[in-house]
Amino acid sequence: MARATHVSEQELPQEHQQPTADTTLATNTPHEKKPARELWADGLGRVGIRSAQVLLVLTLATVSVYALLQVRLLVIPTLIALILSAAIGPFVNLLRRRGMPGAAATGIAFVGLLALLAGVITVIVMSVRSQWSELAQQAASGLDELEKFLLTGPFPLDQEQLNQAREGIIQFATSSQVRSGAISGLSVVTEFIAGASLMVVILFFFLKDGEKIWNFFLRPFNGRREAKLRRVGRRTLEVLGGYVRGTAIVALVDTVAIGAALLILQVPLAIPLAIIVFMGAFIPLVGATVAGILAALVALVANGPVVALIVVAVVIAVNQLEGDLLQPIVMGNTLQLHALVILMALTAGTILAGIIGAVLSVPLAAVAWAVIQVWTAEDPRLEPMNPDLPPANTQPV
C-alpha cells in the first residue's frame, strides 16, 4: 500500500512540484532584465547617444583643423587666392561679356592686381627709407623728453630706476631669445615668399579656370543636391567679393581721412602710416584702431602730446563714421554677423594662424553663415547672383 501511494516527484504534475532555486529567483524578481535596445530608448540613453555624436563631431573638427594647420603653407595661400579671385572675378566676367577672350581678360585683371600690390609695397618702402633718419632723430629727442617727464612728473622716478630699466632693455635685446627669434624670423620670411609665390599661381588658375574647377568638384552630385551646391558656390563668391570690395572702400575712406590729418599736422611717415591704416581696416573692430594708435604714438614721439591727442580725436571720429555710416551703406547684407561673433572669430583666427588668421577669420565666418542659410533655405537672396557660372547638370569642358 505504501508502495502504491508513493509517487515519485517526477511523476507529479508540474504545478505540484517543489519550487527550485531558479524558479524561486525567477518568481521573486520584480522586473525582468531590459534588452540593450530599450536601454538606449529612454531619456538618458538618448542623451548619451547625442553626447557621443557631439564628441565625434568635435573630434573630427579638431583633427581636421590640426591637419590643415600642418599644411598651412598650402591652405593660407589658397584661401587668400580664393578671396582675391572672388573680389576681382566680376571685373574678369565684365571683360569677357564685352567680347574679350578669357585668357586676355584674366591676364589684364591678374597683372593689374599684381601692379597694385607692388605699388603699395614700393610706396611704403620708399617713404620709410626717405624719412627714417628724420624719424630716428625726432624719436631720440622724444625719448629724452619722456625721460625728463618721468623724472619730474607727478609720479617721479629716480635715475637709478631708469638706468635699471634701460639696462634690462639692452640685455633683452642682446639675449639668446632675441637671436633665436631673429633666426626663426628668417624662416618666416622664407615661408612668406614661398606662400606669396604659391598664392600668385593659384590666383591665376582660379581666375582662368575657376568654373572648370568648381564643375569638377560637383561631378559626383546631381539633382537637387547639385543645384543647392551651385547656389552655395554663388553665395560664397558674392559674400567674399562683397566683403573685400566693401572693406576696401571703407579702408580707402579711413586712409584718406587719417592720412590727410597726419599730413596737415606734419607727422613723419604720414603716407606709410596711412597705408597701414588701409591694411588694418581689413581686420574688423580692432585693425583700424590699432593702426590709429600706432599713428598717435609716432605723433607723440615726433610732435608732442598735443598733436598726438589731435590724431587720437581724428581716429575716433573716423571710426565712428565708419561704424555708423559707411559700413551699413557699403557692406549692406554682405556681413550679417553680430559683433560678438566677429570678435570670437577674430580671436580664434588669431590663435590658430596669427595676423593672417585674423584677416581671414571674419570673411570665412560670414561665408559659413551664408552657406548655412542657403542650405536651410533661409537665405533671403536665393536668386541667381552670378550668371557667368554654368547651369546645373553640366560637365566641365
Side-chain angles (χ1 to χ4, degrees):
M1 180 66 94
R3 181 177 303 176
T5 57
H6 179 72
V7 180
S8 65
E9 188 174 352
Q10 294 179 352
E11 297 176 356
L12 287 173
Q14 187 174 2
E15 59 270 14
H16 294 289
Q17 293 182 4
Q18 295 294 328
T20 60
D22 294 338
T23 58
T24 303
L25 290 176
T27 56
N28 293 335
T29 303
H31 299 288
E32 296 182 356
K33 186 177 180 180
K34 292 184 178 180
R37 181 179 301 176
E38 294 184 5
L39 290 176
W40 295 103
D42 58 2
L44 183 60
R46 289 192 295 270
V47 171
I49 294 175
R50 188 65 64 190
S51 300
Q53 292 173 342
V54 171
L55 290 176
L56 182 60
V57 171
L58 291 177
T59 302
L60 179 61
T62 303
V63 173
S64 301
V65 171
Y66 178 78
L68 291 176
L69 289 177
Q70 303 308 308
V71 290
R72 59 182 177 271
L73 188 59
L74 174 63
V75 174
I76 292 178
T78 302
L79 292 177
I80 296 176
L82 178 61
I83 293 174
L84 292 178
S85 63
I88 64 177
F91 177 68
V92 177
N93 295 331
L94 177 63
L95 296 179
R96 288 179 177 178
R97 285 195 296 268
R98 300 221 171 160
M100 184 174 293
T106 302
I108 292 175
F110 183 73
V111 173
L113 180 62
L114 292 183
L116 178 62
L117 295 177
V120 171
I121 295 174
T122 303
V123 169
I124 293 176
V125 173
M126 297 301 295
S127 300
V128 171
R129 289 184 58 183
S130 62
Q131 302 183 31
W132 181 257
S133 59
E134 178 184 359
L135 180 62
Q137 294 176 359
Q138 292 179 344
S141 61
L143 290 176
D144 293 338
E145 293 293 333
L146 178 62
E147 183 176 354
K148 292 179 183 179
F149 175 77
L150 292 176
L151 291 174
T152 60
F155 302 99
L157 301 176
D158 54 16
Q159 188 65 41
E160 183 179 357
Q161 291 176 333
L162 288 177
N163 293 335
Q164 290 177 355
R166 187 182 297 109
E167 290 177 359
I169 294 174
I170 294 174
Q171 290 178 359
F172 174 76
T174 57
S175 63
S176 59
Q177 294 179 353
V178 175
R179 290 194 296 269
S180 63
I183 294 174
S184 62
L186 294 177
S187 62
V188 171
V189 171
T190 304
E191 289 185 3
F192 175 78
I193 295 175
S197 303
L198 184 60
M199 185 270 294
V200 169
V201 176
I202 295 174
L203 175 61
F204 176 79
F205 284 108
F206 276 175
L207 292 175
K208 181 177 178 294
D209 300 323
E211 297 177 5
K212 297 179 182 179
I213 295 173
W214 185 233
N215 283 333
F216 174 79
F217 283 108
L218 294 183
R219 290 180 67 178
F221 306 97
N222 51 33
R224 295 182 59 184
R225 190 173 295 273
E226 181 190 5
K228 188 174 289 189
L229 287 174
R230 290 188 179 277
R231 192 177 297 120
V232 165
R234 291 194 296 268
R235 185 69 174 136
T236 298
L237 291 179
E238 185 201 39
V239 170
L240 291 178
Y243 174 80
V244 174
R245 291 189 295 269
T247 305
I249 294 173
V250 174
L252 183 61
V253 174
D254 293 349
T255 301
V256 172
I258 296 177
L262 295 177
L263 289 173
I264 294 173
L265 296 173
Q266 297 181 352
V267 177
L269 299 176
I271 295 178
L273 288 173
I275 295 176
I276 292 175
V277 170
F278 178 82
M279 294 186 296
F282 284 88
I283 304 177
L285 297 181
V286 297
T289 303
V290 172
I293 292 174
L294 178 61
L297 290 176
V298 174
L300 176 63
V301 172
N303 301 86
V306 177
V307 176
L309 289 176
I310 296 175
V311 172
V312 171
V314 171
V315 171
I316 293 175
V318 170
N319 285 336
Q320 290 297 321
L321 177 66
E322 171 190 339
D324 297 335
L325 180 62
L326 290 178
Q327 282 192 350
I329 294 177
V330 175
M331 303 294 287
N333 295 325
T334 300
L335 191 63
Q336 296 179 343
L337 296 177
H338 192 272
L340 180 60
V341 177
I342 294 176
L343 183 60
M344 295 175 66
L346 286 173
T347 304
T350 305
I351 293 174
L352 293 176
I355 297 178
I356 299 297
V359 174
L360 298 178
S361 59
V362 176
L364 292 181
V367 167
W369 175 239
V371 169
I372 292 174
Q373 285 184 309
V374 171
W375 202 260
T376 57
E378 296 179 359
D379 189 3
R381 303 184 60 185
L382 290 180
E383 68 273 8
M385 290 163 287
N386 190 350
D388 298 297
L389 288 176
N393 299 318
T394 57
Q395 299 296 329
V397 181

